[in-house]
């Protein structure tokens, strides 16, 4: 009979968020002592409320941009606003969360000799050029460093740089995963992401808004599949640092997604089209060959099944508990500002 792993003391930053709450739940269920650290900027207490009575779960309200001292065995660095309506609300804070948060957590990992995982993003690839579709880890990206999405895209790129410098200079045990579009229960209903937007609009019978002509493509990974891949990465003892793409390689147009959600909800919503925001990528699909090889992982949940579970969750939400984002116009005013070009 296999022996049960010895419980570890594990810190999860951003642990009350969409992904973080699922990671905390999985680790608590495995018997680890879990410290969930979050400042509730974009997350919800309801995401972790069911864990408060568990003896091996602890919550700390704290901002990762500020130093904190703990003794831990592993660190999951998941803290950062991840949707445009949230990360563009305070872009300077977003950049600080990515870079200073990574710096503070890497310092802790170095002092504690702890393994640390960085939740990076497919946004490090920017708007991929056609010859890099799907996107492999070797692709260096096509990213604007001065656009309205740069606070997030470049913040995550800088965090990756810092992780690998700590690994090379101080021998810190790092793991870097590049997360592609993920969906599922506990998504914030007003996070502005395409899945939550479409589901909410369909449930309410409102027009479904597509930015652009709907031909741009995305891949959608169900949260359970994503967490399984991240667990395998964190538990890998072969010295594999990544970065490694984690996502579902099934590719759908935004219009196909909207039509499927209308079908699954039985909604009478109509589709309307609005201008495409600045720097919004036209293609997004992961090459997961490396994850298959090194983690023996590939996603199992099909889009129709995952959407059905997500729609059921959304239908049970009390939307009055959730704050709508401020009415900033980052996606609408992108045409008003252009970098100066010398004539």
């Amino acid at each position: 009979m296999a022996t049960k792993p010895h419980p570890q003391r594990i810190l999860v930053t951003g642990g009350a968020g969409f992904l973080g709450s699922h990671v905390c739940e999985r680790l608590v269920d495995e018997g680890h002592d879990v410290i969930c650290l979050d400042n509730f900027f974009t997350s919800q207490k309801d995401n972790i409320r069911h864990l408060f009575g568990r003896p091996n779960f602890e919550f700390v309200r704290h901002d990762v941009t500020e130093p904190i001292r703990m003794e831990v065995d592993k660190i999951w660095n998941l803290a950062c606003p991840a949707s445009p309506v949230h990360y563009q609300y305070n872009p300077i804070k977003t950049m600080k969360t990515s870079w200073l948060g990574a710096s503070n957590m890497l310092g802790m990992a170095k002092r504690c000799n702890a393994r640390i995982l960085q939740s990076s993003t497919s946004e490090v690839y920017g708007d991929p050029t056609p010859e890099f579709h799907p996107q492999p880890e070797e692709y260096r990206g096509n990213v604007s460093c001065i656009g309205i999405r740069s606070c997030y895209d470049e913040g995550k790129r800088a965090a990756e740089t810092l992780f690998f410098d700590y690994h090379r200079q101080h021998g810190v045990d790092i793991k870097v995963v590049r997360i592609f579009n993920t969906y599922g229960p506990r998504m914030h209903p007003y996070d502005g992401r395409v899945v939550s937007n479409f589901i909410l609009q369909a449930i309410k019978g409102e027009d479904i808004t597509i930015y652009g002509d709907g031909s741009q493509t995305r891949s959608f990974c169900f949260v359970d599949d994503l967490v399984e891949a991240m667990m395998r990465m964190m538990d890998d003892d072969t010295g594999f640092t990544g970065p490694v793409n984690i996502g579902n390689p099934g590719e759908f147009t935004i219009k196909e997604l909207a039509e499927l959600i209308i079908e699954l909800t039985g909604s009478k919503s109509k589709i309307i089209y609005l201008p495409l925001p600045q720097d919004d990528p036209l293609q997004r699909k992961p090459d997961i060959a490396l994850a298959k090889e090194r983690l023996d992982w590939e996603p199992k949940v099909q889009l129709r099944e995952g959407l059905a579970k997500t729609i059921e969750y959304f239908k049970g939400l009390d939307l009055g508990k959730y704050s709508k984002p401020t009415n900033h116009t980052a996606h609408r005013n992108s045409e008003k500002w252009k970098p100066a070009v010398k004539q």
Side-chain angles (χ1 to χ4, degrees):
M1 181 183 294
T3 58
K4 188 174 181 180
H6 182 72
Q8 294 181 311
R9 190 165 176 79
I10 300 177
L11 171 64
V12 182
T13 72
F18 165 45
L19 295 181
S21 63
H22 286 277
V23 169
C24 284
E25 184 176 60
R26 176 80 177 261
L27 294 171
V28 167
D29 287 344
E30 290 188 355
H32 298 291
D33 289 322
V34 177
I35 305 169
C36 169
L37 186 149
D38 208 297
N39 66 352
F40 292 132
F41 176 57
T42 61
S43 54
Q44 301 291 318
K45 191 177 289 186
D46 279 350
N47 287 346
I48 54 171
R49 195 178 300 279
H50 64 294
L51 298 175
F52 282 154
R54 303 285 289 271
N56 56 331
F57 178 78
E58 177 183 353
F59 175 73
V60 176
R61 188 161 188 166
H62 184 79
D63 189 324
V64 292
T65 64
E66 300 293 334
I68 189 169
R69 192 175 182 89
M70 292 181 176
E71 304 297 327
V72 295
D73 300 305
K74 288 181 178 177
I75 302 167
W76 294 65
N77 189 39
L78 312 183
C80 189
S83 67
V85 296
H86 288 143
Y87 68 63
Q88 291 175 16
Y89 167 67
N90 188 341
I92 295 172
K93 180 69 172 179
T94 297
M95 176 68 85
K96 286 182 176 180
T97 300
S98 288
W99 198 90
L100 287 176
S103 178
N104 287 331
M105 292 304 109
L106 283 163
M108 184 188 298
K110 177 189 171 189
R111 181 177 57 80
C112 296
N113 195 28
R115 177 174 292 173
I116 181 169
L117 180 143
Q118 166 69 2
S119 63
S120 191
T121 172
S122 61
E123 298 301 323
V124 300
Y125 299 124
D127 188 7
T129 52
E131 63 268 30
F132 288 102
H133 186 74
Q135 293 82 57
E137 288 84 357
E138 294 79 15
Y139 179 47
R140 295 185 179 180
N142 178 32
V143 184
S144 167
C145 63
I146 58 172
I148 60 174
R149 300 171 66 101
S150 302
C151 58
Y152 184 69
D153 303 0
E154 296 290 356
K156 288 291 189 177
R157 286 165 69 98
E160 284 196 20
T161 299
L162 198 58
F163 262 69
F164 279 90
D165 284 339
Y166 262 82
H167 174 65
R168 286 185 288 259
Q169 188 169 339
H170 299 299
V172 173
D173 186 1
I174 67 166
K175 304 285 185 179
V176 177
V177 295
R178 289 176 177 166
I179 298 172
F180 283 67
N181 284 352
T182 305
Y183 69 100
R186 299 184 200 150
M187 293 182 78
H188 194 297
Y190 298 119
D191 66 5
R193 299 185 198 189
V194 64
V195 171
S196 48
N197 268 0
F198 288 179
I199 291 176
L200 207 56
Q201 289 168 336
I203 289 173
K204 292 179 175 181
E206 300 173 350
D207 289 339
I208 288 184
T209 52
I210 288 181
Y211 293 97
D213 62 7
S215 64
Q216 64 268 41
T217 64
R218 295 291 185 273
S219 62
F220 302 97
C221 186
F222 190 64
V223 64
D224 291 352
D225 283 335
L226 182 87
V227 170
E228 175 62 28
M230 294 173 75
M231 294 292 294
R232 293 187 185 201
M233 182 63 168
M234 188 57 130
D235 292 340
D236 173 80
D237 292 324
T238 67
F240 177 48
T241 62
V244 59
N245 291 336
I246 304 296
N248 192 318
E251 189 174 17
F252 298 85
T253 68
I254 297 301
K255 185 179 179 183
E256 287 173 333
L257 175 69
E259 291 170 342
L260 181 54
I261 288 174
I262 289 173
E263 175 194 335
L264 292 173
T265 56
S267 174
K268 296 188 177 186
S269 296
K270 293 183 171 45
I271 296 174
I272 62 172
Y273 298 88
L274 298 174
L276 190 69
Q278 181 189 0
D279 296 336
D280 195 47
L282 297 178
Q283 294 178 308
R284 182 71 84 235
K285 177 182 177 180
D287 180 336
I288 62 169
L290 187 60
K292 287 181 179 179
E293 175 191 346
R294 298 303 299 263
L295 306 179
D296 190 26
W297 173 88
E298 60 182 317
K300 294 182 170 51
V301 179
Q302 297 300 312
L303 182 61
R304 178 177 289 269
E305 177 189 354
L307 283 177
K309 293 179 179 179
T310 309
I311 288 167
E312 182 181 2
Y313 168 78
F314 270 69
K315 284 182 175 178
L317 286 180
D318 177 2
L319 294 176
K321 292 183 177 180
Y322 295 84
S323 299
K324 293 183 180 181
T326 57
N327 191 31
H328 70 77
T329 57
H331 67 287
R332 293 195 290 273
N333 66 12
S334 57
E335 292 302 314
K336 297 179 183 177
W337 181 87
K338 297 287 185 183
V341 178
K342 194 171 183 179
Q343 300 295 326

